[in-house]
Amino acid sequence: MTANTSRTMRDALLEQFANEAASAIRAYAQKRSGDVDEGLETPELAALLVEKYAMGIVEAGTLLTNILKLPSLDLTHVARDAVAKIDPQARKHRQRRWASRPAGINANSSPAR
C-alpha cells in the first residue's frame, strides 16, 4: 500500500464519517422535532438537546481528525441548521439561559415564545 493509497483511504473514511455524523445529527433533530409537534417538548428544550448531542459528535470528529492528523471537519453548520429549524429563537433562548445564574432550564415552565 502506497502513501497515496493510504491517504486516499483515510480521506474516504473521513468523508464517510462526516456524512454519517451529519445524518445522525439530522435524524436526532427529526426525532426531537416530532416530539415538539406532539407537544411533548418545547422547541427550546428540543433545540438544546439537539445542540448538545451535535456538539458531542463534533467533538468526536475533532478527536478523530487529531488522531489521524487530518484536516478538521466542519459539522457545526449541520448542528446550527438543525437547531434553527426546531427553535428559530434558539440564540435568544441560549443567551437568556446563560444570563441566569446558575444557568438552567425550568421543566415546569410554559413554552417560551
Side-chain angles (χ1 to χ4, degrees), residues 27-62:
Y28 185 76
Q30 188 63 38
K31 289 176 190 173
R32 300 280 58 84
S33 183
D35 286 347
V36 170
D37 292 344
E38 292 179 28
L40 301 173
E41 295 174 358
T42 64
E44 182 178 5
L45 176 60
L48 174 63
L49 293 171
V50 169
E51 180 178 58
K52 297 306 178 186
Y53 175 83
M55 289 301 101
I57 290 179
V58 168
E59 183 61 25
T62 299

Side-chain angles (χ1 to χ4, degrees), residues 1-9:
M1 182 180 295
T2 67
N4 282 342
T5 303
S6 178
R7 193 177 356 240
T8 302
M9 286 177 58

Side-chain angles (χ1 to χ4, degrees), residues 86-103:
I86 294 171
D87 182 12
Q89 296 184 39
R91 185 174 183 177
K92 178 179 125 183
H93 291 150
R94 187 180 313 108
Q95 289 170 339
R96 187 182 66 217
R97 227 179 10 260
W98 285 104
S100 66
R101 293 289 179 241

Side-chain angles (χ1 to χ4, degrees), residues 52-75:
K52 297 306 178 186
Y53 175 83
M55 289 301 101
I57 290 179
V58 168
E59 183 61 25
T62 299
L63 293 171
L64 178 66
T65 57
N66 288 345
I67 289 168
L68 297 176
K69 297 182 182 0
L70 293 171
S72 63
L73 297 172
D74 183 16
L75 294 169

